[in-house]
Amino acid sequence: STVGKVITCKAAVAWGPKEPLKVETITVDPPKAGEVRMKVNFTGVCHTDAYTLGGHDPEGLFPVILGHEGCGTVESVGEGVDHVKPGDVVIPLYTAQCRDCKFCRNPKTNLCQKVRATQGAGKMPDGTSRFKCGDKELFHFMGCSTFSEYTVVAGVSVCAVNPQAPQDKVCLLGCGITTGYGAVLNTAKVEEGSTVAVWGLGAVGLAVVMGAVKAKASRIIGVDINPGKFEVAKQFGCTDVVNPKDYDKPIQNVLVDMTDGGLDYTFECIGNVHTMRAALEACHKGWGESVIIGVAASGQEISTRPFQLVTGRVWRGTAFGGYKSRDSVPKLVEEYLAGDMKLDEFVTGHMPLTEINQAFEDMHAGRALRTIIDL
Ligand code: APR
Ligand code: ZN
């Protein structure tokens, strides 16, 4: 048994910004009190990984093991961890849920702050790292670091899910899909018969479409500058698709005309401050709500005329779909297993860890929805 011992395994290490990931032999220390060591079996590759690797995150730390959309099995647990046990199928959660902090006690938010500071500093809650490559200590990432065969996560940052679940699919519930789906169902609480528009038809945008279908929206308009995204968007349930490049007026004006005054709900799933503005201004006067999901680059600012808000439009944002993570992710897994939620349709390819740089390239090129790395 490996319990209590240092594990030697493979991981894709990001040695510095803009450098390709390098598969290295690393060591993973045993979990300390309150921690969980897990074998990662599958991980998605997400924009936040690319953003940090690209050196765009001013708080990015190197060398680091990236990855935060994973699924695997518990290898061992530290003292005091009783909600997961060795062998459990688990999903790491970059939005923790301690059930004790001011945020966890407030039903209006999912932004647990328990491990926020150390997670942001690339460390475990005690301020140290469990990873080494040779003598060199490696930073953790988003409390997950799933681009490694083994990782250690805080107990508050992991949940057990139904062991019947296909791990190469439910890993996606660790980030993008949950984020888009929850934005519709938790954050906006879209009502039956509502009109919805979605900017960006990548995995996050399609998850919004899936949520809007679930909420029985009457009209779901997909907006993207890549017409290659339209076919799958219609399969997911978009009733209309619009390419802003086909018009010589602002896309918000096009949508307002298409919808007799604007939409009930809009969602921005790109991370571009200009499309955030368009999404707000495409909302119906008096009640339209726009939800920001995409993460804009550091230092960017949004703007609009205050009159847009004075006249009743609402601008809001959401992280991890507003889901309190440990309470919700196991339920989403059940929803998928019951056939009530798509996940398979988001997986556009599988690759071994050795080809992870290719997965980043495919994401940048807009070829992939989600590539799953098999560890
Ligand atoms: N107008 C309309 N569509 C755009 C524009 C634009 N100005 N710019 C980009 N797009 C489209 C792209 O063509 C692509 O289809 O937005 C889509 C974004 O999809 P992905 O790149 O696959 O991203 P996704 O994984 O869905 O994540 C979306 O959410 O995680 C956050 O900020 C992060 O950028 C990421 C966003
Ligand atoms: Zn908390």
Side-chain angles (χ1 to χ4, degrees):
S1 147
T2 49
V3 176
K5 296 180 186 150
V6 173
I7 290 178
T8 301
C9 68
K10 299 282 184 202
V13 176
W15 287 104
K18 297 189 180 68
E19 286 179 37
L21 300 182
K22 223 173 144 210
V23 177
E24 306 274 10
T25 299
I26 65 150
T27 59
V28 184
D29 286 346
K32 293 193 185 175
E35 300 177 358
V36 174
R37 185 163 64 178
M38 62 180 284
K39 167 75 181 69
V40 182
N41 294 320
F42 299 96
T43 180
V45 177
C46 171
H47 284 275
T48 316
D49 304 310
Y51 180 72
T52 301
L53 183 59
H56 307 293
D57 180 359
E59 283 160 29
L61 300 157
F62 295 91
V64 62
I65 299 176
L66 299 170
H68 62 282
E69 212 174 56
C71 186
T73 42
V74 173
E75 177 269 341
S76 63
V77 301
E79 198 190 312
V81 173
D82 51 18
H83 68 292
V84 299
K85 58 182 187 308
D88 281 358
V89 174
V90 287
I91 295 180
L93 304 162
Y94 65 84
T95 303
Q97 186 187 357
C98 75
R99 301 198 168 113
D100 185 43
C101 73
K102 183 160 80 170
F103 290 75
C104 282
R105 288 168 189 269
N106 189 326
K108 294 180 180 174
T109 182
N110 62 338
L111 300 176
C112 173
Q113 298 295 293
K114 178 83 175 179
V115 297
R116 173 72 199 89
T118 48
Q119 179 172 316
K123 298 291 175 73
M124 293 303 293
D126 74 342
T128 64
S129 168
R130 303 290 162 269
F131 299 125
K132 271 201 194 105
C133 184
D135 291 339
K136 187 89 189 154
E137 202 164 84
L138 308 174
F139 285 108
H140 292 251
F141 180 66
M142 291 176 78
C144 295
S145 291
T146 56
F147 294 167
S148 176
E149 289 176 327
Y150 285 85
T151 190
V152 179
V153 297
V156 292
S157 308
V158 66
C159 66
V161 302
N162 189 325
Q164 308 287 315
Q167 297 180 35
D168 62 336
K169 308 292 188 319
V170 298
C171 62
L172 296 181
L173 292 172
C175 182
I177 310 306
T178 303
T179 298
Y181 195 61
V184 178
L185 300 176
N186 286 323
T187 308
K189 299 192 173 68
V190 169
E191 304 93 351
E192 184 170 351
S194 305
T195 57
V196 171
V198 186
W199 268 254
L201 297 170
V204 176
L206 292 175
V208 166
V209 174
M210 177 165 73
V213 168
K214 177 95 173 178
K216 302 198 173 74
S218 61
R219 201 158 172 204
I220 307 170
I221 306 178
V223 182
D224 204 297
I225 50 173
N226 177 356
K229 302 284 177 177
F230 290 160
E231 197 48 51
V232 61
K234 287 184 200 157
Q235 282 162 20
F236 266 79
C238 276
T239 56
D240 311 68
V241 286
V242 176
N243 186 345
K245 290 185 169 169
D246 291 344
Y247 299 88
D248 53 14
K249 57 180 174 178
I251 190 63
Q252 51 269 53
N253 298 3
V254 174
L255 291 184
V256 166
D257 289 347
M258 277 174 77
T259 55
D260 185 28
L263 292 128
D264 298 325
Y265 296 96
T266 66
F267 297 87
E268 204 278 355
C269 311
I270 301 166
N272 173 321
V273 293
H274 304 292
T275 50
M276 289 174 189
R277 178 176 191 155
L280 175 78
E281 295 179 357
C283 285
H284 202 288
K285 185 182 194 171
W287 63 77
E289 290 196 25
S290 188
V291 182
I292 294 174
I293 307 174
V295 180
S298 163
Q300 297 275 293
E301 295 183 354
I302 49 171
S303 62
T304 189
R305 298 206 176 120
F307 194 65
Q308 293 283 334
L309 305 185
V310 169
T311 51
R313 292 171 197 84
V314 176
W315 216 349
R316 50 197 314 191
T318 178
F320 201 56
Y323 285 111
K324 289 196 186 272
S325 61
R326 286 202 283 149
D327 291 347
S328 305
V329 169
K331 290 183 195 157
L332 291 171
V333 168
E334 296 301 334
E335 198 174 322
Y336 163 73
L337 288 173
D340 293 337
M341 178 182 195
K342 297 184 205 293
L343 284 181
D344 304 18
E345 292 81 352
F346 289 94
V347 178
T348 45
H350 277 261
M351 285 179 189
L353 188 62
T354 48
E355 285 170 36
I356 193 163
N357 291 305
Q358 183 66 46
F360 275 88
E361 281 173 35
D362 289 351
M363 180 172 65
H364 288 309
R367 281 189 290 267
L369 278 176
R370 277 295 191 267
T371 303
I372 304 297
I373 305 297
D374 303 0
L375 287 135

